[in-house]
Amino acid sequence: MKHTNTPWEESQNQYRLLLEAVNDLIKNTTLLAGTYESTNMDFAHLIYENGLYELMQRAEQLKTYERGFELMHYSMQGHVKQLRRLREGLQLFLIKDPVNIPKN
């Protein structure tokens, strides 16, 4: 006899899969943001320690680079915060979903 899941069991499985995927997305996006920041700090260290920032200034690229870094850095941090709010919303909806409310 084939076992079929109840609507509650199926709902729990779907939410579990979704929340696991969101957790992976948060973890990997956080790692990506950290790698981006670290790589850019290494680059900045290189250009400032070796006087290469003067070349970037003469080429009028230093401010462009710095603004681009700041924009991307804050964007990535903001995206991680949005993903965390998404997870919280999904966790709340899991509780509120009519399928998951006992019929006592």
Side-chain angles (χ1 to χ4, degrees), residues 32-93:
L32 179 62
T35 299
Y36 179 78
E37 181 178 357
S38 174
T39 301
N40 277 277
M41 291 299 110
D42 291 346
F43 176 75
H45 180 74
L46 174 78
I47 65 170
Y48 285 105
E49 286 294 312
N50 295 308
L52 302 176
Y53 70 93
E54 293 171 358
L55 292 175
M56 289 188 67
Q57 278 181 321
R58 278 189 289 179
E60 298 178 359
Q61 296 302 309
L62 186 59
K63 291 292 181 195
T64 302
Y65 165 73
E66 289 173 345
R67 276 187 249 121
F69 167 73
E70 288 176 9
L71 177 66
M72 184 61 80
H73 183 255
Y74 290 120
S75 177
M76 291 175 119
Q77 287 180 333
H79 189 58
V80 169
K81 288 178 186 177
Q82 288 175 332
L83 290 172
R84 288 181 177 146
R85 283 193 298 272
L86 170 68
R87 179 181 55 199
E88 290 169 3
L90 290 170
Q91 289 169 331
L92 181 61
F93 195 76

Side-chain angles (χ1 to χ4, degrees), residues 86-104:
L86 170 68
R87 179 181 55 199
E88 290 169 3
L90 290 170
Q91 289 169 331
L92 181 61
F93 195 76
L94 165 66
I95 296 167
K96 291 178 157 184
D97 193 330
V99 173
N100 298 320
I101 297 173
K103 297 179 180 176
N104 292 354

